[in-house]
Amino acid sequence: MEKFRKMLPYLLAMIFAFYILPFLIIDTGSGMFILLIGIPMICYIVSMIYGIKNSFNLLYPLFIMLLFAPSIFIFYNDSATIYIVIYGSISLIGNFIGSLIRKRKQLNKSKFL
């Protein structure tokens, strides 16, 4: 439960990206920009920050995938289901890289102590 509580602010940021950003879609071009650049960038950055602060957690990308799934039926069509896997993969990579940065910082910190 404690891990989920630490995850909550980052998941809320992703809920914002998944459910508020689509309101900015005006046409196909803006929709593609949000789906292909906007949300993935936010997903990667938030996941990396989560990894830096809390280390690697395999549940985090799974929650990202679960959070995005309902937005497909609200804002998009069935062709957007591939983005569940894409955003899950991006969050997995971001979380992993963030955890590596965390370990490197801890290693450097322990060298100086």
Side-chain angles (χ1 to χ4, degrees):
M1 190 64 172
E2 181 64 29
K3 285 188 177 190
F4 180 73
R5 193 170 296 140
K6 288 181 179 180
M7 215 183 287
L8 197 56
Y10 305 97
L11 293 176
L12 289 173
M14 291 312 303
I15 288 171
F16 170 81
F18 293 153
Y19 294 95
I20 303 299
L21 282 182
F23 286 112
L24 300 176
I25 295 174
I26 299 168
D27 56 3
T28 304
S30 63
M32 295 279 76
F33 179 80
I34 287 174
L35 278 174
L36 296 175
I37 296 173
I39 294 175
M41 280 180 44
I42 293 169
C43 187
Y44 178 75
I45 292 168
V46 170
S47 299
M48 195 168 69
I49 293 170
Y50 175 79
I52 291 170
K53 300 278 186 183
N54 299 298
S55 193
F56 184 74
N57 188 347
L58 193 55
L59 288 176
Y60 181 77
L62 294 175
F63 281 130
I64 295 296
M65 294 167 73
L66 287 172
L67 286 174
F68 180 70
S71 72
I72 293 169
F73 304 107
I74 297 170
F75 298 108
Y76 312 110
N77 57 28
D78 293 341
S79 66
T81 55
I82 188 67
Y83 290 105
I84 295 173
V85 176
I86 293 170
Y87 296 156
S89 300
I90 289 170
S91 67
L92 180 72
I93 292 167
N95 188 232
F96 180 71
I97 291 173
S99 69
L100 291 178
I101 293 170
R102 176 185 174 94
K103 287 178 184 175
R104 188 172 182 144
K105 280 183 178 181
Q106 288 175 344
L107 183 65
N108 287 339
K109 200 182 279 187
S110 67
K111 283 183 180 180
F112 292 112
L113 293 178

